[in-house]
Structure formats: structure tokens, C-alpha cells
Amino acid sequence: MTKKRILRLGFLIIVVGVVLRVLHVGGTLASITVWLSVIVTLAYVIIAVFEVNNSDRITSKEKVMWTLALLFFNALAGLIYFLIARPRILGLNRTKFKER
């Protein structure tokens, strides 16, 4: 499973769990969904922290900032990291089509 799929799965599970809890539907299913979302969120936070701290493209101050953001604001920081900052931090090419 790719890292972006883990992120998407985590957010989907979080949304389903929150909806089930708010609507008081599912009982045990809602609890399982919430715990599953915690596990998936922990997985993508660990992946992101590992990638940030092993990157040679950002300064040590940025590494500390991203690590703290991912640990304390994991859902929002994880979304920003995977959608916006990850290509810069890892030096990934954002073009999807080859130039002719």
C-alpha cells in the first residue's frame, strides 16, 4: 500500500468513525472505526517523520518544525505534508507526463 493510500484511508476511516459517533450509530463498530483510524494515523505520522528526518533537502530547523507539527497536529500537518510539502522535502518530480 502506498503512502498516499494510507493517508487517504486514514482520513476516510476518521470521517466514518466521527459520523458514526456523532449519529450514535453502530456502537461497537464506531469504537472499532475510531481505534482503526488512530492506528492508520499513527502509521502515516511515523512514515512522514521518518522521511522528514532523513531528508537532506531541508534544514534542521525545518525538520524540527515538521516533526513537532506531525506529532501534535497530525491530521492537518499530515495532509499538508503529503499533498504539498513532500515533493519538495524528498525532491520528487511533480510532472506526470514526459516531455517530448
Side-chain angles (χ1 to χ4, degrees):
M1 192 176 284
T2 65
K3 294 166 188 161
K4 281 193 176 185
R5 283 189 180 170
I6 291 173
L7 177 71
R8 288 179 189 148
L9 178 65
F11 281 112
L12 178 67
I13 293 171
I14 289 170
V15 169
V16 169
V18 167
V19 168
L20 289 174
R21 286 296 237 183
V22 168
L23 297 176
H24 301 290
V25 178
T28 306
L29 179 62
S31 296
I32 291 171
T33 307
V34 169
W35 280 108
L36 188 59
S37 69
V38 168
I39 292 168
V40 173
T41 302
L42 184 62
Y44 76 73
V45 166
I46 290 170
I47 290 168
V49 168
F50 181 76
E51 288 178 348
V52 164
N53 288 312
N54 287 330
S55 175
D56 58 352
R57 297 185 174 272
I58 58 175
T59 65
S60 60
K61 289 180 182 179
E62 285 180 294
K63 289 179 182 181
V64 170
M65 186 269 312
W66 274 111
T67 302
L68 291 175
L70 287 163
L71 292 176
F72 293 111
F73 307 106
N74 52 33
L76 180 61
L79 184 64
I80 293 170
Y81 173 75
F82 277 102
L83 296 179
I84 299 170
R86 187 170 184 256
R88 182 182 67 87
I89 291 173
L90 297 180
L92 302 175
N93 190 357
R94 297 195 104 201
T95 59
K96 293 184 178 182
F97 302 103
K98 293 182 181 179
E99 294 182 21
R100 292 183 182 192

